[in-house]
């Protein structure tokens, strides 16, 4: 089987990466290889088309296609709530809590996550066009094998963008290098965190219905990986070694430790309602597909 993540050098989908590298998928009888598919919207298409078997990505990604939940199902949450950060240059006058004053700047964001940022601006009554805020891809992220957050931090350092919206690793790299500072943490910020999206493990409806034992095994493996990281966050370093560059390998355990309170695999009705509202607001083509069928059968749930 093939499991894809849209950003590898990242904490966003790390429990799924850990399930491969720590062997919990193997222990559940699944032979799974890991690959990078960027952006998440393309990765969702690859899942739907049968090029991969499992996807760890943003829960709303399947809804960029009109078929939405017709062909794809959510198996479990990798963590709760929207998980991206807004980072500006380290010498900016902006501080946490002042992000709503942004204007006249270029914000780098990947396809899929970009709508999460637009949603937060809209909830705060901010008209991005009137403010002169341009939300667009980061230069250098046009490959399907790029790690977005780290690339965004580099683009900020070299002045190719004025800010970026990316994962916790990208934010931490920018901070540690002294080139950026975080002014918004969506998961812990001032907006209601269940109003948008969350990281999820997903598969095809065909696999979930025809091989429910395989889907259930994947969920058990994910939960075992979450539990292992919760018990010993230093395992994150072991997982990252050989996959991440040296700097990011040294940072990952601390980032994962901060994420542990959100390691809850169950997908709640509130999370689904927020996902529906977000997709409808964004006008995603698959927003109208049946939300009641979005999550796989109870037998596969945590």
């Amino acid at each position: 089987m093939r499991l894809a993540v849209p950003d590898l050098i990242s904490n966003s989908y790390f429990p799924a990466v850990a399930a491969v590298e720590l062997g919990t998928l193997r222990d559940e009888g699944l032979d799974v290889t890991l690959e990078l598919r960027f952006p998440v919207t393309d990765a969702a298409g690859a899942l739907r088309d049968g090029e991969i078997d499992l996807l760890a990505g943003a829960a709303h990604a399947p809804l960029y296609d009109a078929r939405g939940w017709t062909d794809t199902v959510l198996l479990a949450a990798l963590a709760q709530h929207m998980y991206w950060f807004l980072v500006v240059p380290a010498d900016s006058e902006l501080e946490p809590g002042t992000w709503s004053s942004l204007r006249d700047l270029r914000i780098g964001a990947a396809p899929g996550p970009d709508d999460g940022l637009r949603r937060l601006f809209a909830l705060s009554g901010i008209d991005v066009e009137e403010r002169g805020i341009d939300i667009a891809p980061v230069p250098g992220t046009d490959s399907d094998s790029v790690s977005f957050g780290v690339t965004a931090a580099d683009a900020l350092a070299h002045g190719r963008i004025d800010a970026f919206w990316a994962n916790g690793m990208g934010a931490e790299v920018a901070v540690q290098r002294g080139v950026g500072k975080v002014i918004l943490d969506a998961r812990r910020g001032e907006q209601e965190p269940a109003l948008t999206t969350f990281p999820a493990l997903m598969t095809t409806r065909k696999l979930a219905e025809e091989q429910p034992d395989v889907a259930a095994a994947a969920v058990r493996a994910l939960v075992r990986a979450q539990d292992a990281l919760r018990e010993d966050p230093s395992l994150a370093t072991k997982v990252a070694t050989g996959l991440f560059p040296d700097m990011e390998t040294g940072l990952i355990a601390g980032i994962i430790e901060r994420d542990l309170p959100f390691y809850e695999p169950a997908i709640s009705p509130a999370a689904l309602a927020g996902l529906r509202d977000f997709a409808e607001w964004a006008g995603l083509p698959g927003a109208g597909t049946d939300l009641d069928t979005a999550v796989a059968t109870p037998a596969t749930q945590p």
Side-chain angles (χ1 to χ4, degrees):
M1 299 181 69
R2 301 170 71 180
L3 164 66
V5 294
D7 204 352
L8 179 59
I9 306 171
S10 168
N11 58 309
S12 297
Y13 316 110
F14 199 80
V17 177
V20 176
E21 298 299 317
L22 295 178
T24 61
L25 282 160
R26 182 187 60 246
D27 293 344
E28 292 290 344
L30 303 181
D31 181 9
V32 179
T33 58
L34 180 67
E35 62 182 68
L36 175 61
R37 291 278 188 126
F38 174 86
V40 70
T41 46
D42 287 356
L47 178 66
R48 191 170 48 245
D49 294 341
E51 297 174 22
I52 55 176
D53 305 287
L54 297 164
L55 171 61
H60 71 288
L63 300 178
Y64 284 88
D65 185 278
R67 288 167 287 182
W69 306 124
T70 303
D71 298 329
T72 307
V73 292
L74 303 172
L75 292 175
L78 300 171
Q80 298 294 312
H81 309 322
M82 190 163 70
Y83 46 101
W84 298 302
F85 297 74
L86 186 58
V87 179
V88 297
D91 60 0
S92 171
E93 296 180 357
L94 292 166
E95 296 294 340
T98 65
W99 65 277
S100 59
S101 64
L102 287 170
R103 62 172 59 248
D104 300 321
L105 80 168
R106 302 161 296 163
I107 302 177
D114 57 353
D115 280 326
L117 181 58
R118 291 187 178 93
R119 173 68 163 162
L120 291 186
F121 278 130
L123 288 170
S124 296
I126 295 170
D127 184 328
V128 294
E129 291 187 4
E130 187 274 331
R131 289 281 191 93
I133 298 172
D134 180 28
I135 303 172
V138 170
T141 59
D142 53 355
S143 165
D144 63 1
S145 60
V146 70
S147 283
F148 181 86
V150 175
T151 304
D154 185 67
L156 183 71
H158 289 89
R160 293 192 288 271
I161 51 176
D162 302 312
F164 68 81
W165 171 250
N167 61 67
M169 178 60 80
E172 190 70 12
V173 167
V175 170
Q176 292 296 326
R177 289 175 57 187
V179 301
K181 62 180 175 182
V182 175
I183 61 168
L184 174 64
D185 175 346
R187 186 173 267 161
R188 305 166 183 85
E190 55 206 66
Q191 295 290 349
E192 167 55 49
L195 286 174
T196 47
T197 190
F198 55 93
L201 181 67
M202 57 196 92
T203 190
T204 62
R205 184 168 299 281
K206 177 180 173 64
L207 186 149
E209 293 180 351
E210 295 183 1
Q211 302 180 72
D213 54 331
V214 171
V219 172
R220 289 195 302 270
L222 169 66
V223 173
R224 288 177 62 189
Q226 289 173 322
D227 289 345
L229 291 166
R230 188 180 292 109
E231 183 175 341
D232 182 6
S234 71
L235 285 174
T237 304
K238 176 182 176 181
V239 171
T241 300
L243 289 177
F244 290 15
D246 289 346
M247 179 181 182
E248 289 79 2
T249 298
L251 294 173
I252 189 62
I255 298 172
I256 293 303
E257 190 166 12
R258 293 200 298 266
D259 284 351
L260 292 177
F262 302 98
Y263 276 15
E264 167 53 56
I267 299 174
S268 70
L272 283 178
L275 185 63
R276 177 202 61 216
D277 293 348
F278 171 44
E280 290 178 350
W281 170 85
L284 302 186
T289 52
D290 189 359
L291 187 70
D292 292 337
T293 69
V295 180
T297 62
T300 66
Q301 292 308 291

